Amino acid sequence: PQCDSHNYNTVADSGDVGESPAIAIGNDGNPVIAYALRDGSPRYSNLRVAGCADATCSSATLTSLESGRWIGEYNSIAIGNDGNPVISTWGESGEELLVIMCTDPMCTDAARDGSGYIGNSLGLTGGKGKFSSMAIGADGNPVIAYYDTSAENPKLMIAICADTSCTSATTQLIAETTLYAQVSVVIDDGTPLVAYKDCCLDESPTGMLRVAKCIDAACTRVFDNEVDDLNAEGIATPNPAGVSMVVGNDGKPVVAYSDVLYSQYTLRLAVINWH
């Protein structure tokens, strides 16, 4: 549990691979990894999935889910109640957030529409749907936290899917923010909990790690709390260092994040006791 020893395994090394990785542990105990393969111009990518053959991922089945559209940025992956992965991703060719339902535990294929395309669009286009993070709700339906950057002030939003395939969703505002970046959502006591960073209110040099707790499963009300002050030195960017949250075996959410708002170093952990 302390990761005193570890193994490194190369999962994929053909082409410019590995950007925007997201990992989940399948019901068989083996990892499933969604990632992007860049192809052609520096900004073109397509979505791929590695279904690991064992717990250490010493080998994997690599699947290109779709190469006809530019998708595969801001990936997040979770395991549905049927044991198959569910992926949220963003594609700039259509500038939309997509929810993809894998048809088997290793995601060698996914549900497709009448045109042969994968993924359900929630109508979140343009600047909506970036930096998505997904969890499976207590009802088995996906829950997706994301940013809406189409307005002057970025909005941290959450989409509550109406069914397991996320053919439609209700969206709710979590917080209006001063920047947009990676977020992390988990299901805590049956309701969503979202960790994110915000910056420099009232020209303060200090940023913040914040955690927003949905009061109900539909997230119609939110309790938003500052967890830690962050050093804001560095060059302002819409993509500061990441945030990742899990719920421990003791039921307490744990957030991994950097102490510096913009730079990716000085790893810290916060255990959320007030939830």
Side-chain angles (χ1 to χ4, degrees):
Q2 288 75 36
C3 203
D4 294 327
S5 61
H6 49 270
N7 296 315
Y8 290 107
N9 284 316
T10 299
V11 177
D13 59 3
S14 178
D16 188 1
V17 295
E19 188 164 324
S20 191
I23 191 168
I25 304 301
N27 291 346
D28 58 1
N30 300 340
V32 184
I33 307 166
Y35 62 98
L37 166 67
R38 290 201 176 275
D39 181 16
S41 77
R43 291 183 55 81
Y44 185 84
S45 63
N46 62 67
L47 179 64
R48 291 199 167 190
V49 176
C52 297
D54 51 47
T56 61
C57 206
S58 60
S59 64
T61 299
L62 306 181
T63 301
S64 180
L65 285 180
E66 188 171 292
S67 58
R69 289 184 297 173
W70 181 4
I71 62 174
E73 291 193 271
Y74 312 122
N75 297 318
S76 184
I77 189 169
I79 305 300
N81 286 356
D82 61 359
N84 297 338
V86 184
I87 301 169
S88 66
T89 190
W90 191 80
E92 194 156 335
S93 59
E95 290 195 334
E96 60 183 343
L97 177 68
L98 297 172
V99 180
I100 295 167
M101 314 302 299
C102 299
T103 56
D104 59 81
M106 297 184 73
C107 201
T108 60
D109 202 357
R112 300 176 183 271
D113 62 19
S115 300
Y117 291 125
I118 61 172
N120 291 322
S121 172
L122 301 181
L124 301 174
T125 60
K128 304 173 184 177
K130 294 182 178 181
F131 297 100
S132 68
S133 176
M134 183 175 53
I136 303 300
D139 58 2
N141 300 342
V143 174
I144 307 162
Y146 65 93
Y147 270 99
D148 177 357
T149 63
S150 62
E152 181 177 355
N153 293 323
K155 294 179 173 64
L156 176 59
M157 306 289 295
I158 194 164
I160 309 296
C161 295
D163 52 43
T164 56
S165 298
C166 203
T167 55
S168 64
T170 301
T171 60
Q172 300 284 354
L173 174 69
I174 297 291
E176 292 196 9
T177 64
T178 56
L179 55 80
Y180 55 95
Q182 289 178 322
V183 299
S184 187
V185 63
V186 298
I187 303 302
D188 173 52
D189 294 334
T191 61
L193 187 73
V194 183
Y196 67 102
K197 287 183 177 182
D198 204 359
C199 175
C200 316
L201 297 179
D202 301 322
E203 299 182 355
S204 167
T206 303
M208 296 162 287
L209 173 70
R210 304 188 67 89
V211 173
K213 173 67 173 176
C214 295
I215 304 303
D216 52 35
C219 210
T220 57
R221 294 174 54 224
V222 175
F223 172 69
D224 195 349
N225 191 56
E226 181 180 348
V227 174
D228 193 10
D229 288 334
L230 305 174
N231 188 331
E233 63 184 33
I235 300 174
T237 168
N239 185 16
V243 174
S244 184
M245 179 168 53
V246 297
V247 177
N249 291 341
D250 58 0
K252 295 180 179 180
V254 180
V255 187
Y257 62 102
S258 75
D259 183 42
V260 179
L261 188 68
Y262 299 116
S263 302
Q264 298 186 16
Y265 56 87
T266 317
L267 180 66
R268 302 190 72 174
L269 296 175
V271 179
I272 308 301
N273 293 311
W274 49 259
H275 70 297

